[in-house]
Amino acid sequence: MSLNNILTNWSRYRKGAEEGGFHEYEHQWGMVVDLNKCIGCNACSVACYAENNLPVVGEKRCGKNQAMNWLRIERYWDEPDLEPYNATPSANIDAWIEGNPPAKKTELKPSMPSSYLPGLLEEGGQNFEQRVGFGGTKSEFQDFGASFLPMMCQQCHAATCEPVCPVAATYHTPDGLNAQVYNRCIGSRYCSNNCPYRLRYFNFWSYYEDAWPEPLHMQLNPDLSVRDKGVMEKCTFCIQRIRVAKDKAKMEDRKVIDGEFSTACVQTCPTGALVFGDMQNPDSQVSKLWSYHQVERGKTKQSKQNKELRGYRVLEGLNTDPSVLYLERVREV
Amino acid sequence: MKKKYRVLGLFSDFEEAFAAIADIRQYKVPGVSVDDVRLMSPIEHPEIEEVLGERPAHVPKFTLAGAIFGITFGFLFLASAQANFLVQPQGGKPVVPLPSNIVLTYEMLILFGVIFTVISFLTLSGLLFGKKEKLYSEKIAVDQIGIIMELDEDTFEPLKALFRQHKVLEIREEVIK
Amino acid sequence: MKYVNEKDINEEIKWAQINTDILQSLQNPRKAYWIAIAVCLAMLSCAVVAEVYQYQTGLGVADLNRPHMWGLYIATFIFWIGMSHSGTLLSAILHIIHADWRKPIYRFAEAMTTFSLMTAGFFPMLHLGRMWNLYWVIPYVSDRGIWPNFRSPLVWDAFAITTYLTSSALFLFIGMIPDLAICRDNVTGWRKKLYTVLSLGWQGTDRQWRHFRKTYMLMACFLIPLAVSVHSIVSSDFAMSIMPGWHVTSFPPYFVAGALYSGCAAIITLFILLRYFFRLEEYMTVALMEKTCKLTFAIAMVWTYLNLVEFGATWYGHDPVAKEVLISKFVGPFAPYFWAMMFFGSVLPFALAFEKLRRHMPTMMIVSILLNVGMWLERWMIVGPTLSHAYAPEAWNFLWPSIVQWAIVFGSFGWFGLLFLIFVKVFPCVSMYEVKEMVFHRRREAHAEVAEKFHRRAADVQQATGRPSVEGA
């Protein structure tokens, strides 16, 4: 009986993430991205396209920012500013929200090559910043080339996209993943609006109709669906691979072994910049990296003793509790 | 068996109608009680209804009932739905989150309050399927006020006399049995 | 000072005259009315074509993109929800404080509420990627034990709009019953049948009036907090999110003020239109226009204040991202629209402060429309800049809405206009019984000695008789 259910389990049902939450996690899949190793080759992104049946939307739609790149390599072209942080607002949000502005100001500015934004560039030939009208003056590119930031769904434990979905199409799995149920999605797109990383992609068109002309449809991955128009989608940490590994482990009556499988991007990365694994397993590479870099889950501000440690999570101060740890790139000054 | 009549007197002067009822109230017509008087008017007349004596309007009780029902049903409905849908713990929030449930419960309070009010209004005021007055004049919808009541033979004539005394415009009558 | 003794309405008007005047509005409007209907139909057909195309092809045709997931649809949704607020809220507030000047103008304002809600309701539906699955938002018992997510402000919206639509439609209907009875008594043909059914057998008996009075007051009391809560809930679509420029504490009152503002401006527009279409100069008088304009001006100032509070709080707050969004409003790609909004919303209302302008109907028509343009821009300025310039710099982007979005937004005005115009032709747009009450009570106030007499006599009777009626029975 429902009423009875509420009364008996009231205290459990009232637990938020701060008190441990209702869930008991079987796994907590996590990732580490070492930006020192990232060369920005986009192999991970290509692998993601192949693995997850991502439609290639074409130049025009890509120019309108309707592309479906679940894993994207963000490029930032600015030389980090070595002057002390001044009062002007910048996009270095982590530091601001954490409340400890860094000694150097890193102005994050999107600078897309012209092929990325034909629609924007056609009008008057202005570049993105001028056209959009903010972001300051155009600075020279830094000596070392672009800084790369591979961004995939951060699988937040306190995900902002989850509570706003009107039909509960996105929810938290006992695997610690932020799952998107395509069949349940009605396409209100609130989740994407509320994702501070903007890592949710919407099927604005019936991509399946033209993204894989014959014989390309033969290369579609049969392990997961091709999404219909009008649903939201995003990186799943290759949940189909997780499924297979879990099923195999179950059949063989053992636990999932660390390194037994990994996501398509991790598998593909030529420099080994990406590491994937179960954070509940203390012996996994991911857990070790997280604890080495003294980054803990469930915190909005990390208390690192060693300033040399490079680990951080993107927009950690927003209390989204992401599952992806980034290791800062070290540059010679 | 005495004959029964139904009488409708139409007045254009509200003061006279008022005076007529006041007279009935003071037993100017023996055997006629103010409780039998029904008034028909084109506009709200709280001041004339005053002279009719206190007559009940129980709508607020139903409104209260509706509001209470809305609160309890609303909250329990939401909470039990959430408690049976455990796949949804989301965004680090508890299964039964109070802030959002308060918002929705509040809406349910108003919704059921309004619905109960309207239903009780339609029932208690005799609209919809309720009993309607048999005598009705379209003039009432324009600018005249009507006094309607059931009488027997003894009181029939004296009442009409009273009406005339108060400058009644028109008297309509019918025999009930 | 010239108009200080001006009466809101001709108090000596005969009640029969009121009936005739208002009933004729059901029969023979000016030609402009039919032109307006045709225009509305044309506008609506634009939207229908655009929506069919969008439904078939996908939301890509609207030129929505990754940061701009919502665009004009949600902006216009808020606009219509806002528009719906004035009617009921003003009607209810003015009712419970016994401001009787509401009486000639509240009926169409309430109709405006109901119909703009019916327009607003379309937007969250048609902006869905998979509209055909809309019913999943409704909490029904499913065999799979799936419920909607009651945490989502969109579900709150669904609840709030349903409640508001139900309540305001009932409020409109209940308040119209005595008038429907008048119509029933005076018409023939299909209208007779319609009004007979809708008037529910109203005869104006004391029993009916007594319950009516209580019911109407109770509903007014419900509608005031309801209206406030509805727009607060709509504001939580933004305020409950984590996005800079949306996550603002002052959003609920700001939205409510904006809602009242645009609603009042719309009341002025429709006031002038109806006055002209149906030759209702006698009832929708210039004096009432002045009162409405003054109210609008006051609300405009409240809105301006809350707007400035929001800017100030963001500017001096220590949230650099929100501040950047604010700056991008000032100087970014949205700047022209932002400054247009500031001008129409905060500067233009000063036109309402001048008596000469207030009393000039064509000017007021233009001003009120521009005020609403400003309010529409305000909603766009809430939705747009935050989407284009939030946390992730990669997704900073500005995409001009496509013709499909504009067509649907444009057509929504046609849909609203059509519903409204049909309503005012089929139902009396001025409350006859309440105008009668208004002139009755005003006349009595003007002749205090009569009122006094009434009062004294009621007291006499009460004293003389106590409650002896039981014995008399």
Side-chain angles (χ1 to χ4, degrees), chain A residues 64-66 72 110 128 132 134 163-166 182-183 185-190 193-194 198 201 204 229, chain C residues 55-56 59-60 63-66 69-70 127 129-130 136 149 152 237 241-242 333 387 389 393-394 396-397:
Chain A
K64 286 183 176 175
N65 246 20
Q66 292 169 342
R72 61 183 191 231
F128 181 81
V132 175
F134 37 77
V164 297
C165 175
Y182 305 129
N183 282 344
C185 179
I186 59 171
S188 78
R189 309 194 291 293
Y190 200 168
N193 276 347
N194 208 24
R198 295 280 189 251
Y201 301 84
F204 285 107
K229 97 178 165 195
Chain C
Y55 185 94
Q56 299 278 346
L59 281 157
D63 271 6
L64 294 166
N65 67 359
R66 181 145 49 75
M69 289 282 174
W70 275 357
H127 103 293
R130 304 204 296 172
W136 288 348
N149 177 13
S152 169
D237 285 353
S241 80
I242 200 171
L387 290 177
H389 195 83
E394 190 269 346
W396 288 353
N397 179 303

Side-chain angles (χ1 to χ4, degrees), chain A residues 42-330:
Chain A
N42 267 310
C44 48
S45 189
V46 173
C48 186
Y49 266 78
E51 170 73 20
N52 289 306
N53 295 343
L54 301 186
V56 179
V57 301
E59 188 186 351
K60 199 168 154 236
R61 289 170 184 176
C62 189
K64 286 183 176 175
N65 246 20
Q66 292 169 342
M68 309 296 285
N69 45 341
W70 283 5
L71 200 174
R72 61 183 191 231
I73 306 281
E74 296 182 2
R75 272 170 287 188
Y76 297 99
W77 288 93
D78 288 1
E79 188 87 54
D81 193 347
L82 295 181
E83 277 178 31
Y85 198 86
N86 56 32
T88 51
S90 91
N92 193 353
I93 297 126
D94 307 313
W96 263 100
I97 291 171
E98 280 169 21
N100 50 344
K104 56 184 185 180
K105 175 189 167 192
T106 27
E107 181 90 30
L108 293 181
K109 206 183 292 174
S111 182
M112 302 175 185
S114 54
S115 62
Y116 241 65
L117 292 164
L120 290 171
L121 287 162
E122 271 160 21
E123 296 176 34
Q126 292 165 312
N127 74 1
F128 181 81
E129 288 95 277
Q130 282 161 358
R131 170 130 172 80
V132 175
F134 37 77
T137 53
K138 197 169 178 292
S139 63
E140 306 91 44
F141 295 154
Q142 56 199 7
D143 298 340
F144 300 95
S147 311
F148 302 112
L149 185 67
M151 287 293 281
M152 70 299 285
C153 176
Q154 307 285 303
Q155 311 287 358
C156 313
H157 272 211
T160 47
C161 53
E162 285 171 358
V164 297
C165 175
V167 290
T170 175
Y171 75 106
H172 223 66
T173 67
D175 276 5
L177 290 178
N178 178 279
Q180 175 74 18
V181 189
Y182 305 129
N183 282 344
R184 179 68 176 168
C185 179
I186 59 171
S188 78
R189 309 194 291 293
Y190 200 168
C191 52
S192 182
N193 276 347
N194 208 24
C195 172
Y197 313 98
R198 295 280 189 251
L199 283 161
R200 289 179 150 263
Y201 301 84
F202 187 68
N203 284 275
F204 285 107
W205 308 85
S206 302
Y207 289 121
Y208 58 87
E209 283 172 357
D210 46 14
W212 301 282
E214 296 228 24
L216 283 180
H217 67 286
M218 301 295 284
Q219 59 99 48
L220 287 173
N221 185 351
D223 292 343
L224 77 162
S225 61
V226 170
R227 275 76 61 186
D228 198 356
K229 97 178 165 195
V231 301
M232 192 59 79
E233 57 181 67
K234 65 168 190 74
C235 165
T236 59
F237 270 9
C238 289
I239 195 165
Q240 65 277 12
R241 294 186 176 206
I242 296 176
R243 251 315 130 71
V244 170
K246 275 170 71 178
D247 287 352
K248 202 172 158 208
K250 196 174 175 188
M251 281 200 304
E252 293 170 8
D253 201 20
R254 59 173 169 84
K255 286 188 170 174
V256 180
I257 304 162
D258 185 47
E260 172 183 9
F261 76 103
S262 64
T263 62
C265 49
V266 173
Q267 187 187 7
T268 315
C269 182
T271 59
L274 303 168
V275 182
F276 174 80
D278 184 1
M279 291 178 24
Q280 265 196 348
N281 176 2
D283 298 329
S284 71
Q285 217 187 335
V286 168
S287 308
K288 284 176 184 163
L289 278 166
W290 278 64
S291 53
Y292 174 76
H293 286 281
Q294 296 181 4
V295 179
E296 278 177 66
R297 303 290 302 257
K299 285 193 171 179
T300 55
K301 194 181 169 187
Q302 303 295 344
S303 49
K304 289 184 217 173
Q305 269 90 53
N306 187 351
K307 293 287 179 198
E308 297 292 305
L309 294 176
R310 299 181 291 138
Y312 72 95
R313 293 186 292 172
V314 179
L315 298 179
E316 194 168 23
L318 293 177
N319 195 17
T320 51
D321 199 6
S323 301
V324 182
L325 174 71
Y326 287 84
L327 305 181
E328 213 176 330
R329 183 173 176 183
V330 181

Side-chain angles (χ1 to χ4, degrees), chain A residues 2-3 5-6 10 13-18 22-23 157-159 162-163 168 170-172, chain B residues 75-76 79-81 83-99:
Chain A
S2 321
L3 195 59
N5 179 13
I6 303 172
W10 180 255
Y13 291 157
R14 289 287 308 132
K15 267 189 201 166
E18 294 82 4
F22 178 78
H23 260 316
H157 272 211
E162 285 171 358
T170 175
Y171 75 106
H172 223 66
Chain B
F75 187 81
L76 288 178
S80 51
N84 282 313
F85 186 38
L86 296 176
V87 75
Q88 64 156 2
Q90 289 168 337
K93 309 270 191 298
V95 176
V96 182
L98 293 183

Side-chain angles (χ1 to χ4, degrees), chain B residues 79-148:
Chain B
S80 51
Q82 285 160 334
N84 282 313
F85 186 38
L86 296 176
V87 75
Q88 64 156 2
Q90 289 168 337
K93 309 270 191 298
V95 176
V96 182
L98 293 183
S100 61
N101 286 11
I102 286 171
V103 172
L104 293 176
T105 306
Y106 183 77
E107 296 299 316
M108 299 281 242
L109 180 165
I110 291 179
L111 181 63
F112 283 102
V114 166
I115 288 176
F116 274 51
T117 310
V118 170
I119 291 175
S120 68
F121 164 63
L122 295 179
T123 323
L124 295 174
S125 64
L127 288 173
L128 211 59
F129 305 113
K131 233 174 80 190
K132 305 290 177 315
E133 297 295 350
K134 296 287 185 309
L135 286 176
Y136 175 72
S137 166
E138 286 164 7
K139 298 261 177 53
I140 287 165
V142 184
D143 55 359
Q144 293 184 4
I145 198 162
I147 295 175
I148 187 169

